[in-house]
Amino acid sequence: MVGGDAHPTESDHVPATGRADVAVVGGGPIGLAIAWLASVRGMRVRVHDPAPGSGASGVAAGMLSPVAEASFGEEALTRLLLDSAARWPDFAAEVANAAGLTGIAELGYRTEGTLVIGRTADDLAEARRLWAYQQGLGLPITALDATGLHDREPLLAPRVRGGAHAPDDHQVDPRRLVTALRIAAVRAGVVFVPAAVHDLADLDADTVVVAAGCGAAGLTGLPIRPVKGQILRLRAPGGEPPGFRHVIRGYNDGRSVYLVPRLDGEVVVGATVEERGDTTVTAGGVLELLRAAIDLVPELAEYELAETTAGHRPGTPDNAPVIGRLADRPDVIVATGHYRHGILLTPVTAQLVVDLLTSGVADPALAPFTPDRFTRTGQTSVREEIR
Ligand code: GLY
């Protein structure tokens, strides 16, 4: 099995010399996947990161939920989420194969779907408003009454009023994914440079791909801001799998929480959403998450509180990612700003960026996500000039 703390056994810190075809800044899943796929297509690729996988992906829960995460007014983003979700099973199989794993289960890939639940009448009304919108888009999500919910997950609190099932939403373990992608990248010939990049001009490459999450702001001037998320990891007694199988997205006294059960006994409980740049885990954050989790699944009170962490989602002004060439720097491609969806959007981002690297032409699917929709620090946006 690829454990969360495992590292590639191959030499991945080869000294970097000579001009590369592609320098990828950022060794999270998106940067690693771009590097791996570009190298498979014959490019000479370097990844620059002092600690690959130590950013948002080390904190993330790994929900692949294009349906349950489809939000009002984000139709273009929802289309991209669905596109990427459809690519995930093949992508996972390719990563697993390239990393020498026995299959996608070793990445923590699970397909039981998401249950959306509301505990009080008000919570249910809020959840229902959202899934009615999702159904209106034609997305697969089906309402369940309290009996239907408890039939699927008997451990849910008796007071849970009702909910819905999104059967096509999946999950993956981001830490296992990063480890596997590092192995795949090394095997494909990617060279890792374990150092931070402070200026893109320092990189000796034909094309630079900035996949540095929040770090992209300082490197490109794009308006990427940190959105703090505190998240917990619980552990079921005796190392048994948790007593529930679905990802649970719950609404509890006006607060939203998600519970992601893993076969190795872990339950990820997330996450706060805070407009802050620190990574302090606070008593209030832990209390808020635990209260909601235990109100919805009382058995969780018996689980070990194994880990508390906080990370930064790279947020953008319109909550959508930024993928494409910089208008005034055609040698720089950005792939960042994935906000709440970095893991889900990994396959589509990586594949479309590598297509762009290969063909020089941006796929039309990227049109809503171009960097030039934003003004960069020290720049005038192309769209403002046109107006
Ligand atoms: N995708 C879940 C989160 O950002 O908390």
Side-chain angles (χ1 to χ4, degrees), residues 39 56 64 78 165 173 183 187 195 207-208 218 221 229 235 286-287 306 333-334 351-352 383-384:
S39 194
L64 308 176
T78 297
H165 182 218
D173 183 333
I183 295 171
R187 288 184 170 183
T207 305
V208 173
R235 192 154 285 286
V286 174
L287 177 68
I333 294 172
V334 294
Q351 284 159 13
L352 295 185
R383 287 193 183 169
E384 280 177 17

Side-chain angles (χ1 to χ4, degrees), residues 9-333:
T9 50
E10 293 90 338
S11 155
D12 61 350
H13 288 169
V14 181
T17 53
R19 192 162 178 82
D21 296 318
V22 182
V24 178
V25 184
I30 291 172
L32 290 172
I34 291 169
W36 165 52
L37 293 175
S39 194
V40 166
R41 293 210 197 165
M43 292 172 233
R44 243 172 72 95
V45 185
R46 264 185 227 127
V47 171
H48 299 257
D49 194 320
S54 63
S57 65
V59 179
M63 290 179 297
L64 308 176
S65 294
V67 177
E69 293 247 341
S71 291
F72 300 108
E74 296 183 352
E75 285 77 8
L77 176 59
T78 297
R79 277 193 293 280
L80 195 70
L81 299 179
L82 290 165
D83 181 345
S84 204
R87 295 171 192 250
W88 248 106
D90 285 348
F91 176 77
E94 283 162 28
V95 174
N97 184 45
L101 307 182
T102 55
I104 62 175
E106 282 200 62
L107 297 174
Y109 198 89
R110 296 186 68 176
T111 59
E112 285 88 346
T114 297
L115 288 183
V116 179
I117 60 179
R119 196 173 67 89
T120 66
D122 285 349
D123 292 326
L124 192 55
E126 185 186 344
R128 197 172 270 143
R129 219 164 57 83
L130 188 55
W131 84 60
Y133 164 76
Q134 292 158 348
Q135 285 174 328
L137 294 178
L139 303 180
I141 183 162
T142 312
L144 293 172
D145 61 13
T147 308
L149 277 180
H150 287 100
D151 285 349
R152 283 182 180 276
E153 292 296 2
L155 284 189
L156 289 175
R159 287 185 55 199
V160 167
R161 298 290 187 109
H165 182 218
D168 295 346
D169 283 6
H170 297 171
Q171 62 147 305
V172 71
D173 183 333
R175 294 176 180 178
R176 289 170 184 263
L177 173 68
V178 163
T179 302
L181 280 169
R182 286 180 69 184
I183 295 171
V186 169
R187 288 184 170 183
V190 173
V191 172
F192 283 75
V193 182
V197 173
H198 301 291
D199 187 337
L200 299 184
D202 296 339
L203 299 171
D204 187 14
D206 291 346
T207 305
V208 173
V209 177
V210 181
C214 294
L219 293 168
T220 64
L222 281 163
I224 313 290
R225 69 184 197 287
V227 182
K228 177 178 171 182
Q230 300 186 49
I231 200 162
L232 316 177
R233 283 172 163 82
L234 311 183
R235 192 154 285 286
E240 293 294 312
F244 59 101
R245 299 174 307 117
H246 295 81
V247 171
I248 293 173
R249 172 171 289 282
Y251 294 82
N252 184 62
D253 285 335
R255 296 190 185 276
S256 129
V257 69
Y258 50 78
L259 312 174
V260 182
R262 308 246 201 257
L263 285 174
D264 63 7
E266 185 176 88
V267 176
V268 184
V269 180
T272 64
V273 180
E274 305 165 68
E275 293 287 342
R276 300 172 62 101
D278 66 276
T279 52
T280 307
V281 175
T282 63
V286 174
L287 177 68
E288 173 189 324
L289 294 171
L290 281 182
R291 179 183 287 147
I294 292 169
D295 279 352
L296 296 169
V297 181
E299 183 187 274
L300 291 177
E302 308 303 324
Y303 285 35
E304 177 194 355
L305 176 55
E307 191 182 307
T308 61
T309 36
H312 293 139
R313 309 169 181 91
T316 64
D318 60 9
N319 292 342
V322 193
I323 310 169
R325 284 190 199 280
L326 295 184
D328 61 339
R329 287 286 308 270
D331 59 325
V332 177
I333 294 172

